[in-house]
Amino acid sequence: LELIETPSVGPDGSVYLGAKNGKLYALDKQGQLRWTHNTGGIVYCSPAVADDGKVFFGSQDGTLYALGPDGSELWRFTVPTASQTAVAMQVSPTIGRDGNIYIGSLFRPVLYALNPNDGSIVWQTQSLGGAGICTSPVVADNGTIYLNTKDDTHLLALNPADGTVFWSIDLRDPAIGPFDPADPDTFSAWNPPALGPDGTIYVSFDDSYIRAVTPNGALKWITRLGMGEGFSLTVDAVGRIYAAGEDSSIYVLEPQEGRVASVLNGIFYNIPGLFTGMEVSGMDGRRYVGQTNTSITAFDPNDNIKWQINLNSTFSYPYNNSVLLSLGMVENGVLYALAGSPSGAADPIKRICIIDTQTGQIFDIIERQVGSSFVAQKTSMSSPVIAGNGLLYFTDFHRTVSA
């Protein structure tokens, strides 16, 4: 079973989560399965759960499903189009202050407001711009809907009564901030905006900047964070912004001017750094032995071979003649291996391969030009969560939850 998105919790403590097999699963507070519901496509989104326990979620089959707390189907809404690809829903629905359900599809720039009782269309937008809906709408206390669309750099504020645009601001306008001219002309915000307690809207596109916008649609500040991009954002009760990105760090920003107050760094793998040699051992007694031809063999405590892989067989031309430079630490069921181009290569690179110690499967390959430092991608693309006790919870690529 492959789970894709963040689970949702209902008012009775039930947990709802979608899966790649096209099912929605409902678990009780003890983790026991209550029921499942089948769809015609992958369930990429987190369900939205109303105060009365109704569950709303979308599927890649282009349908929004409304279920009762007992799993019974109340109604369904399918995006009207002739193209199955165009209607795919990969974002979570949002419940408005008036109870309406807001949903869109990945390749159509149309936002629908649906009646929560029967799924009928209350209104739909006509001219949002962009190529589709790739992030969930966010609803302010006064009901205003904030939205980014695919391949578009505008933040939109919509009227919840009819979906008309209150205001729009282009957050990549060269007149309002310093941007890298080498960046592409179009961006997408792959994570939804975040709202501060004062109504400020925080936005991250697939670049290294965080933008803050006032509730009236004016730019408040822009802050660059490291070399990462596509940050997931969360705001705490006093307004501090937490930004988790692919550069392995979580940044904490002050809301007034976007100043970085602190940084929680992930694990940095500088060369030679923490790579220790051609043989390493794990806490479970296994040994991992590498050879310069990129062969890696795992031995159990009795020296029986558990698996063997060759990294070059996974590298594409012209990098499939690499050499193994070193093995690294073993942690959380993951082995790190450092490979590089052979001596004299015209365009030398180094790669960190992240390997499952149980199977030898390669989870990820992180590549850098020689001379650059490595930063292992430890933080996930899902947003950090702040609990009522003030603790910040976040996950990483290697199946670890940290607080």
Side-chain angles (χ1 to χ4, degrees):
L1 176 64
E2 184 173 351
L3 307 177
I4 299 174
E5 258 297 346
T6 306
S8 300
V9 180
D12 63 351
S14 294
V15 178
Y16 303 96
L17 33 81
K20 198 170 184 179
N21 63 6
K23 292 183 178 182
L24 181 76
Y25 291 82
L27 311 178
D28 63 21
K29 290 187 289 187
Q30 285 71 43
Q32 298 300 310
L33 181 67
R34 293 183 54 214
W35 48 259
T36 65
H37 191 86
N38 292 319
T39 75
I42 299 172
V43 181
Y44 279 107
C45 66
S46 299
V49 186
D51 292 339
D52 61 2
K54 291 179 182 175
V55 183
F56 305 93
F57 71 101
S59 168
Q60 200 176 27
D61 64 5
T63 298
L64 178 76
Y65 296 84
L67 309 181
D70 60 355
S72 59
E73 185 172 312
L74 305 176
W75 52 262
R76 61 174 64 182
F77 168 80
T78 300
V79 176
T81 181
S83 169
Q84 183 68 28
T85 302
V87 302
M89 293 182 185
Q90 294 189 203
V91 300
S92 302
T94 300
I95 302 175
R97 300 300 176 192
D98 55 6
N100 286 337
I101 312 301
Y102 304 123
I103 191 65
S105 58
L106 183 61
F107 297 109
R108 294 190 71 208
V110 178
L111 185 71
Y112 295 90
L114 305 180
N115 185 310
N117 297 315
D118 58 13
S120 59
I121 298 175
V122 178
W123 52 255
Q124 66 185 72
T125 58
Q126 299 298 327
S127 55
L128 289 182
I133 308 296
C134 60
T135 67
S136 299
V138 174
V139 178
D141 289 340
N142 65 1
T144 300
I145 306 162
Y146 298 108
L147 179 69
N148 299 109
T149 58
K150 185 175 181 288
D151 296 339
D152 190 87
T153 57
H154 290 79
L155 173 67
L156 305 171
L158 306 182
N159 185 340
D162 56 12
T164 55
V165 177
F166 278 144
W167 52 256
S168 172
I169 179 174
D170 185 357
L171 293 177
R172 200 178 179 275
D173 184 344
I176 66 172
F179 300 103
D180 187 344
D183 285 340
D185 293 333
T186 59
F187 278 100
S188 292
W190 296 102
N191 295 292
L195 294 178
D198 62 351
T200 299
I201 310 103
Y202 302 99
V203 180
S204 169
F205 293 106
D206 43 8
D207 65 1
S208 300
Y209 297 92
I210 305 297
R211 287 90 163 165
V213 180
T214 69
N216 295 322
L219 184 71
K220 188 174 180 180
W221 48 256
I222 298 177
T223 295
R224 178 163 187 161
L225 301 179
M227 299 302 292
E229 58 186 38
F231 295 93
S232 300
L233 305 175
T234 297
V235 183
D236 67 16
V238 299
R240 287 185 295 258
I241 306 102
Y242 299 82
E246 64 176 23
D247 67 349
S248 88
S249 300
I250 293 181
Y251 299 84
V252 183
L253 286 74
E254 297 294 347
Q256 291 78 18
E257 298 177 353
R259 181 182 66 85
V260 177
S262 60
V263 181
L264 173 63
N265 289 317
I267 297 179
F268 286 74
Y269 298 98
N270 295 311
I271 309 305
L274 299 177
F275 288 90
T276 56
M278 299 297 275
E279 180 174 337
V280 295
S281 298
M283 296 294 292
D284 58 0
R286 288 191 181 187
R287 292 188 305 118
Y288 305 91
V289 179
Q291 301 181 37
T292 56
N293 66 358
T294 72
S295 173
I296 301 174
T297 304
F299 297 91
D300 68 14
N302 297 318
D303 277 344
N304 298 310
I305 295 177
K306 300 301 295 182
W307 51 258
Q308 189 172 50
I309 60 172
N310 189 286
L311 300 182
N312 274 331
S313 65
T314 67
F315 295 162
S316 58
Y317 178 83
Y319 305 120
N320 55 354
N321 63 339
S322 298
V323 295
L324 184 67
L325 301 176
S326 182
L327 297 177
M329 64 165 61
V330 180
E331 62 162 14
N332 298 327
V334 173
L335 168 70
Y336 299 92
L338 176 63
S341 301
S343 177
D347 187 22
I349 65 163
K350 289 183 178 178
R351 290 177 165 182
I352 290 177
C353 298
I354 304 171
I355 303 166
D356 185 341
T357 57
Q358 296 299 314
T359 65
Q361 175 187 354
I362 297 177
F363 283 135
D364 196 16
I365 298 174
I366 304 171
E367 181 177 301
R368 292 291 185 273
Q369 297 293 323
V370 169
S372 301
S373 62
F374 279 92
V375 181
Q377 298 180 2
K378 292 283 285 186
T379 41
S380 73
M381 294 305 293
S382 59
S383 299
V385 175
I386 300 171
N389 59 6
L391 285 177
L392 178 75
Y393 296 90
F394 61 96
T395 62
D396 64 34
F397 181 78
H398 307 309
R399 303 169 294 182
T400 302
V401 178
S402 303

